[in-house]
Amino acid sequence: MKLRKIVSGGQTGVDRAALDACLKVGFPCGGWCPAGRRAEDGAISDWYPLQETDSIYYDDRTRQNIIDSHATLIIYQHDLTGGTLLTFRLAQELHKPVFLFKVSPFFIDESLDELLQFLTAHSVEILNVAGPRASQWAKAYESALLVTSRLVKNIGLPE
């Protein structure tokens, strides 16, 4: 396994959970956020190691995180909509591999095994993690924290 960093955009929900899971165990993380550290709950805390784009638009931050990564993991529960759908489409447009992790209490371990195989098959070193914000999915943070925590635990800290 070559994964050495996780990036995300810092929005509430999936993005923050991915960063928090990494920060909790010391796994390298970062990414791009909009100018002004803009998110739906106000300015993103400086505690998150994010770089600001020159733009206030979420789309620009999303594109930059996809460009700077080898693949994207989208964690979701129902249909892809809004920024999550945009992430999927931009990754396809930029010819970057995408793994869709549909959260189900019955398939977390099975899906995690498939994700690990995906990361190995695509030699992913930098993984962009994306998905719905908190206002669009009540369990976004909790679900993404579980998935990302298990992922980094399985991989271990980069040397």
Side-chain angles (χ1 to χ4, degrees):
M1 181 63 60
K2 295 183 176 189
L3 187 65
R4 61 180 172 84
K5 185 176 184 180
I6 289 179
V7 300
S8 199
Q11 183 59 272
T12 63
V14 171
D15 289 11
R16 292 244 184 105
L19 295 170
D20 284 342
C22 291
L23 290 167
K24 181 178 179 183
V25 298
F27 194 90
C29 65
W32 292 93
C33 66
R37 301 181 72 86
R38 185 171 162 253
E40 75 173 348
D41 63 345
I44 300 166
S45 168
D46 288 337
W47 187 68
Y48 295 103
L50 300 172
Q51 293 179 265
E52 292 182 44
T53 63
D54 293 332
S55 166
I56 62 166
Y57 299 106
Y58 297 128
D59 298 11
D60 295 326
R61 161 271 277 161
T62 298
R63 178 180 289 277
Q64 195 59 53
N65 281 328
I66 294 167
I67 289 169
D68 287 354
S69 60
H70 299 106
T72 294
L73 164 62
I74 295 177
I75 301 171
Y76 71 108
Q77 185 178 36
H78 298 297
D79 296 332
L80 301 183
T81 60
T84 306
L85 180 58
L86 173 71
T87 301
F88 179 73
R89 289 183 175 156
L90 284 173
Q92 288 185 314
E93 176 185 306
L94 294 166
H95 306 288
K96 298 282 187 137
V98 178
F99 187 90
L100 296 174
F101 195 114
K102 188 168 187 174
V103 173
S104 163
F106 305 107
F107 300 109
I108 291 281
D109 291 332
E110 183 179 312
S111 297
L112 188 62
D113 288 342
E114 291 172 10
L115 172 58
L116 292 168
Q117 291 171 16
F118 168 87
L119 296 174
T120 300
H122 293 282
S123 301
V124 177
E125 293 183 36
I126 301 173
L127 178 66
N128 177 39
V129 179
R133 60 180 66 183
S135 64
Q136 296 173 335
W137 177 22
K139 300 264 186 193
Y141 183 89
E142 175 186 340
S143 298
L145 187 67
L146 174 67
V147 170
T148 311
S149 294
R150 286 192 182 178
L151 173 61
V152 298
K153 181 181 178 189
N154 270 280
I155 292 169
L157 296 177
E159 296 177 11

